[in-house]
């Protein structure tokens, strides 16, 4: 895959950027513990849990777009240091917040600062010679980091850090970017028209819908997995199922890293999206107490979660080698992660969540439609004599 924005980075620069990206997204893996701590201490209401969670995720996604537009590419190290210092302060200040509104305000600010750190790794990924493969490596790495952090929280005594231990851990981890900021590239050039983010066409718009809809499906099922498990009467704990999903995420991310540069990107996306839709339908139609079948469905869900994501980057570069659309893929993924649970919450009444897997299947089916529209758009432009210079194979 040839891209017109590729740069050569030292290994230490790439590793530093990936590590900072893992810090930026650590909150996604710790949100259940973070929000649970706030609820247990009556800092937020049960109704406010979703608002706090979605506020931080949405601000992370939108903040990444704003960061690309306004943050200087020749000040990566400064951005890392300033964002980390402010994020440490806000993570600790969250411990003093009382009420849904106050917690939302602090976590929205946290999301914007996390976006500044995530922007750094995004800029490195989209400018690397193999952005799709590096994206797969990053997704797998950040999943492992989230798992390690969650395991650490489970092992650390609450008495040693108090009820706010998840936020203390988050603040401690945010020291890492301060220590490795000097390893980042000194500059990445300037913002130019060649790489300025733009949807540029309906084809580009549908290409962004693919990651948005995929992560909407993921977010909807992940957010409601515990109540869905309870309603299904599955004879296995939610912790065991979550661990299974996590293991399969790592396997899926690894598989994507090895295969993302082979074969047809549209076929890979369509097949994986259809498989995701099948997972939702199977979960919906399973009779009660179908433990093995439900566990297998969760395993497939975990695999598809990370397997599809590197292909989002490749699809974006295949239709726009200048990287304008690729820069918007990570924000689209993040906003989709928040959009899915938000839409699902409007359909849930009381404890009735049996329909959630069917809604997930609907999101996944829409991914298939979006990929088909991207392919149709590319074929139409080729027939009209407007083939994209340097474009890859979307077929």
């Amino acid at each position: 895959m040839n891209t017109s924005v590729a740069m050569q980075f030292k290994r230490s620069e790439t590793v530093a950027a990936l590590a900072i990206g893992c810090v930026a997204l650590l909150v996604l893996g710790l949100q259940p513990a973070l929000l649970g701590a706030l609820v247990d201490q009556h800092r937020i209401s049960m109704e406010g849990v979703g608002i706090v969670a979605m506020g931080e995720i949405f601000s992370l996604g939108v903040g990444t777009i704003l960061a690309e537009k306004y943050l200087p590419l020749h000040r990566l190290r400064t951005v890392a240091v300033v964002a980390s210092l402010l994020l440490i302060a806000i993570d600790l200040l969250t411990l003093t917040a009382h009420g849904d509104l106050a917690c939302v305000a602090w976590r929205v600010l946290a999301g914007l600062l996390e976006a500044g750190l995530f922007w750094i790794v995004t800029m490195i990924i989209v400018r690397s010679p193999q952005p799709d493969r590096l994206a797969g490596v990053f997704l797998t790495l950040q999943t492992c980091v989230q798992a390690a952090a969650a395991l650490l929280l489970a092992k650390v005594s609450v008495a040693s850090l108090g009820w706010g231990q998840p936020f203390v851990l988050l603040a401690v981890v945010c020291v890492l970017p301060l220590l490795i900021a000097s390893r980042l590239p000194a500059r990445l050039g300037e913002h130019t028209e060649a790489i300025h983010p733009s949807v540029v066409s309906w084809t580009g718009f549908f290409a962004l819908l693919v990651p948005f809809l995929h992560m909407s499906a993921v977010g909807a099922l992940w957010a409601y997995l515990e109540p869905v498990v309870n309603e299904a009467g599955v004879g296995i704990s939610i912790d065991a199922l979550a661990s299974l999903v996590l293991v399969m995420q790592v396997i899926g991310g690894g598989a994507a890293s090895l295969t993302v540069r082979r074969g047809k990107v549209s076929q890979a996306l369509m097949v994986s999206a259809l498989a995701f839709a099948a997972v939702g339908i199977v979960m919906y139609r399973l009779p009660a107490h179908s433990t093995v079948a439900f566990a297998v469905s969760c395993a497939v869900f975990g695999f598809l979660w990370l397997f599809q994501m590197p292909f989002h980057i490749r699809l974006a570069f295949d239709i726009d080698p200048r990287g304008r659309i690729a820069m918007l893929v990570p924000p689209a993924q993040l906003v989709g992660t928040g959009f899915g649970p938000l839409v699902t919450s409007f359909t849930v009444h009381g404890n009735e969540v049996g329909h959630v897997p069917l809604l997930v299947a609907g999101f996944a089916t829409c991914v298939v439609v979006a990929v088909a529209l991207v392919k149709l758009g590319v074929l139409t432009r080729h027939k009209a004599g407007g083939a994209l210079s340097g474009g890859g194979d979307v077929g």
Side-chain angles (χ1 to χ4, degrees):
M1 181 180 65
N2 180 38
T3 69
S4 60
V5 294
M7 298 176 62
Q8 292 295 332
F9 298 107
K10 297 178 182 177
R11 178 169 296 183
S12 60
E13 293 174 337
T14 301
V15 170
L18 293 179
I20 290 174
C22 289
V23 172
L25 298 186
L26 181 61
V27 67
L28 300 181
L30 297 183
Q31 260 197 349
L34 296 171
L35 298 175
L38 292 174
V39 171
D40 290 343
Q41 292 296 311
H42 307 290
R43 301 300 179 104
I44 61 175
S45 66
M46 187 62 70
E47 291 78 11
V49 169
I51 300 175
V52 175
M54 295 311 105
E56 185 163 2
I57 293 174
F58 273 124
S59 66
L60 212 171
V62 174
T64 305
I65 300 175
L66 297 176
E68 202 292 324
K69 185 174 180 64
Y70 295 110
L71 291 183
L73 289 170
H74 59 286
R75 290 282 188 267
L76 264 65
R77 299 170 180 176
T78 303
V79 170
V81 170
V82 173
S84 297
L85 288 172
L86 293 176
L87 193 53
I88 290 170
I90 286 181
D91 285 336
L92 296 177
L93 285 171
T94 303
L95 298 174
T96 68
H98 289 269
D100 295 348
L101 185 59
C103 286
V104 168
W106 283 123
R107 298 323 298 172
V108 165
L109 288 175
L112 291 174
L113 293 170
E114 290 156 357
L117 296 178
F118 185 55
W119 166 77
I120 293 172
V121 70
T122 300
M123 294 301 98
I124 297 296
I125 288 175
V126 299
R127 285 170 169 77
S128 67
Q130 298 180 342
D132 43 9
R133 182 169 293 175
L134 186 58
V137 172
F138 171 64
L139 290 168
T140 305
L141 178 62
Q142 59 102 1
T143 300
C144 293
V145 171
Q146 291 175 13
L151 179 61
L152 179 61
L153 277 181
K155 296 296 183 182
V156 173
S157 170
V158 175
S160 64
L161 292 177
W163 70 268
Q165 60 169 328
F167 290 99
V168 174
L169 175 61
L170 209 56
V172 170
V173 172
C174 287
V175 174
L176 178 62
L178 299 176
L179 302 177
I180 62 176
S182 62
R183 297 290 184 180
L184 292 171
R187 62 188 301 118
L188 292 178
E190 300 293 339
H191 292 283
T192 66
E193 181 62 27
I195 59 174
H196 192 74
S198 173
V199 173
V200 303
S201 67
W202 280 109
T203 305
F205 172 75
F206 290 125
L208 290 175
L209 270 185
V210 172
F212 173 79
L213 292 168
H214 171 67
M215 293 309 297
S216 292
V218 168
L221 185 53
W222 188 240
Y224 286 91
L225 186 60
E226 183 171 3
V228 168
V229 168
N230 293 336
E231 183 160 323
V234 177
I236 185 172
S237 70
I238 182 61
D239 290 337
L241 284 175
S243 299
L244 175 63
V245 170
L246 180 63
V247 170
M248 294 305 297
Q249 281 185 58
V250 174
I251 295 174
S257 298
L258 295 174
T259 61
V260 69
R261 300 182 64 79
R262 306 170 184 173
K264 305 288 188 178
V265 62
S266 63
Q267 291 178 4
L269 288 169
M270 283 186 170
V271 170
S272 61
L274 287 172
F276 206 147
V279 167
I281 294 173
V282 168
M283 282 187 174
Y284 176 73
R285 296 183 62 86
L286 276 178
H289 311 296
S290 302
T291 301
V292 175
F294 196 93
V296 171
S297 297
C298 285
V300 177
F301 160 59
F303 180 89
L304 295 173
W305 181 338
L306 252 64
F307 177 79
Q308 192 172 127
M309 294 176 72
F311 287 93
H312 300 160
I313 296 287
R314 180 180 165 187
L315 178 69
F317 268 114
D318 277 354
I319 64 176
D320 180 18
R322 289 174 292 178
R324 293 173 295 179
I325 297 172
M327 288 183 183
L328 296 177
V329 168
Q333 292 170 334
L334 289 167
V335 175
T337 303
F339 181 78
L342 183 64
V343 170
T344 305
S345 68
F346 295 137
T347 71
V348 173
H349 303 286
N351 295 323
E352 298 178 1
V353 295
H355 67 285
V356 170
L358 199 59
L359 188 61
V360 169
F363 277 125
T365 302
C366 289
V367 173
V368 179
V369 176
V371 174
L373 290 173
V374 171
K375 187 174 181 179
L376 178 63
V378 171
L379 290 175
T380 300
R381 294 179 67 176
H382 283 194
K383 289 180 179 178
L388 293 174
S389 176
D393 186 2
V394 184

